[in-house]
Structures are given as structure tokens and as C-alpha cells.
Amino acid sequence: MRIDKVRAAVWTTVVIIGCVMLSIVVIWPILFTLSSAVSPGRSAASLSPIPFANGFTLDNFSKLFTQTLYPQWFLNSFIIAACTCIGTLVIASLSAYVFSRFSFTFKGSLLTSMIVLQIFPSFVGMIAVYVILMRIGALDTLWGLVLVYLAGNLPYSIWLVKSYLDTIPHGLDEAARLDGASHLRTFATIIMPIAKPILIFLAVTTFAAPWMDFIFPKLVLRSPEMQTLALGLVSFVSQKNSDFTAFAAGAIIVAIPFMIFFLVTQKSLITSLSTGALKE
């Protein structure tokens, strides 16, 4: 019995030490970035590895909003991410409802083609994307970049939402139809509230992907005032410029929308997952 207690105590100690070390590994980079954002100077080489050992100043944040195009970059990124998120949710949910609830010609072929499209990485079509955007006059525009993200998101998003809608009993649709509801009203008032968990998940992923994407904005956007946060922040630590503290300040601000979005949707997601569609 005493040996079992000793083993349990040793195992508990090992787990606690492992959790503490893992927490340090995860938290230290965040603390270092936050410390760099409020530290005087510019270079990363002059910063102490101990967080907040270099002093405290808000000049880096002031510099972002007064001496750079950071506010415009932030607005551009938000417009692109929000439009991509809303467009993906609307088109994917409507398309998924049609694929889940209706039978029509080429339904299986269309679903298969969407799966095949997801096999190829998006970088394969970058030259074609560039040519198409150039032909339609969408280069160096925000709406052109939104089109690129929508086209890339929809195949996977439609499959994801359709798979979830397939688990919702068809009896709900039939009951709504007997009560005189149209397909659109059934979709909006019956199916979508039940599908809220997958829609919230899809909203988070489709907002986060373009928010800090670098490759496609680098391909599509050209002028400084049309750039996104990823392009703008990289310019702070390029070969021609080394302003790591301003980069850290900008990175901290970038995380704020994610924190707000998570706090707003966390309760809705948990509540939606714990509620059922039918009552016994």
C-alpha cells in the first residue's frame, strides 16, 4: 500500500513538472512579444530574454497609428476576412442544404468534383489565379482577394456543412412543410439554428485564414495602401528595415479580434452543442 502511494506521488509530481514546463514553453513567447511591444528601442538584439526587463513605453503603439499605414492595413484585413467569412457562410450553408435535402442530376458528380478539387494545393493554381484577376481587373483590389478566398473555401465548407446537415432528422423538414413553411423558411428557422455549432466553427476558420495570410495578398495586392496586416508587419522586419518592437506591437493588436470573437462565440458554441433538436 505504501509503495502504491509513493508511485502515485511520484507520478503526480512528474505530471505537475511536465505541465509547468509545457506552460512555460507556451507562455514565454507570448510574454516576450508583449514585453517587446512595450520596450524602448527597435532592434531585437537589444532586448533582454527576461520579459519586461527593458522598461515600459507606449511609443511603439503610437508609432503604428501615426507614422505607418497600420490602421489602413488593419481595415483592409478586416474587410477581407469579414467578407470572406460572411460569403462563405451564406453560400456554403445554402449549397449544403440543397445537397443534403434534395436529389437532382449530377449531384454525386458535383460532390465528387469538390472532393477532387481539395486534393490539389491552392498554390498549384496561383498563376491561373493571377491571370484571371488581371483579365477581370481585380489585381490590387480587396474584392479580388475575397473572390480568391471564396473559391478556395467553398468546396471544403460545403462538404463540411452538408455532413453536419445529414445528421439532422428529415422529420423536422417534413413537419415544417406540413405546417406550411417554404423551403427557405425551413432552412432559415429550423435547420440553421440547429446547425449553429458547425456554422460557428466555419466562421472562426474562414475568418482566421485570410486574417494573417501572406501568400495570396503578396500575389494580388501591390500598392502600400491596399496591403494587409501580414504584408505590412513583414515590412517592419525586412532587410531594409529592422523595427522588431513595432512588429511586436502590431502583432499584439492583431490578436485582439480573435480574443473578442472567441469570447463572444464560446458560450454560443457550448450551448449549441449541448442542446438537441428534438424533445422526447
Side-chain angles (χ1 to χ4, degrees):
M1 183 67 66
R2 183 176 299 176
I3 296 178
D4 293 339
K5 291 183 178 179
V6 172
R7 289 178 178 176
V10 172
W11 176 249
T12 301
T13 303
V14 171
V15 171
I16 292 175
I17 294 175
C19 291
V20 171
M21 294 180 63
L22 182 62
S23 300
I24 293 174
V25 171
V26 173
I27 295 176
W28 186 86
I30 300 175
L31 290 178
F32 182 78
T33 303
L34 182 60
S35 171
S36 302
V38 296
S39 296
R42 293 165 53 94
S43 175
S46 62
L47 298 175
S48 171
I50 301 176
F52 305 102
N54 293 91
F56 181 88
T57 180
L58 296 178
D59 292 342
N60 296 317
F61 293 95
S62 176
K63 184 193 306 181
L64 286 178
F65 291 96
T66 58
Q67 302 180 23
T68 70
L69 293 174
Y70 188 87
Q72 185 63 47
W73 299 336
F74 191 97
L75 180 61
N76 293 341
S77 295
F78 182 81
I79 291 174
I80 293 171
C83 291
T84 301
C85 176
I86 296 172
T88 302
L89 285 176
V90 173
I91 299 175
S93 58
L94 287 170
S95 302
Y97 179 73
V98 172
F99 279 112
S100 177
R101 290 303 196 259
F102 298 95
S103 297
F104 51 90
T105 308
F106 302 120
K107 174 181 176 180
S109 300
L110 289 173
L111 290 172
T112 303
S113 64
M114 286 190 290
I115 287 295
V116 173
L117 288 175
Q118 292 300 117
I119 297 176
F120 301 97
S122 58
F123 303 106
V124 173
M126 289 184 67
I127 297 177
V129 168
Y130 182 85
V131 173
I132 293 173
L133 293 179
M134 182 177 61
R135 294 289 178 83
I136 65 176
L139 284 178
D140 202 26
T141 63
L142 300 183
W143 66 269
L145 194 55
V146 171
L147 288 180
V148 173
Y149 288 133
L150 283 177
N153 287 341
L154 286 177
Y156 169 76
S157 300
I158 292 173
W159 258 103
L160 182 68
V161 180
K162 176 192 174 298
S163 300
Y164 192 92
L165 297 185
D166 288 341
T167 64
I168 299 177
H170 287 250
L172 294 174
D173 303 60
E174 296 173 359
R177 294 293 296 171
L178 289 175
D179 290 338
S182 63
H183 289 295
L184 183 59
R185 184 173 182 181
T186 301
F187 165 80
T189 61
I190 304 297
I191 303 301
M192 285 301 98
I194 301 173
K196 187 186 294 184
I198 197 64
L199 295 180
I200 293 177
F201 171 79
L202 188 61
V204 173
T205 55
T206 55
F207 185 90
W211 180 251
M212 284 305 294
D213 183 35
F214 180 82
I215 299 298
F216 282 107
K218 185 68 174 178
L219 175 71
V220 176
L221 304 177
R222 290 291 182 267
S223 56
E225 63 273 7
M226 298 301 295
Q227 290 183 349
T228 60
L229 283 170
L231 297 178
L233 288 177
V234 168
S235 67
F236 291 157
V237 288
S238 63
Q239 294 180 351
K240 298 180 180 180
N241 187 19
S242 179
D243 197 346
F244 182 78
T245 54
F247 174 86
I252 293 297
I253 298 176
V254 166
I256 294 178
F258 287 101
M259 297 172 60
I260 296 175
F261 195 76
F262 177 77
L263 293 175
V264 171
T265 60
Q266 182 184 26
K267 184 177 180 180
S268 298
L269 180 60
I270 295 175
T271 302
S272 301
L273 289 172
S274 63
T275 56
L278 297 173
K279 295 184 178 180
E280 300 292 341

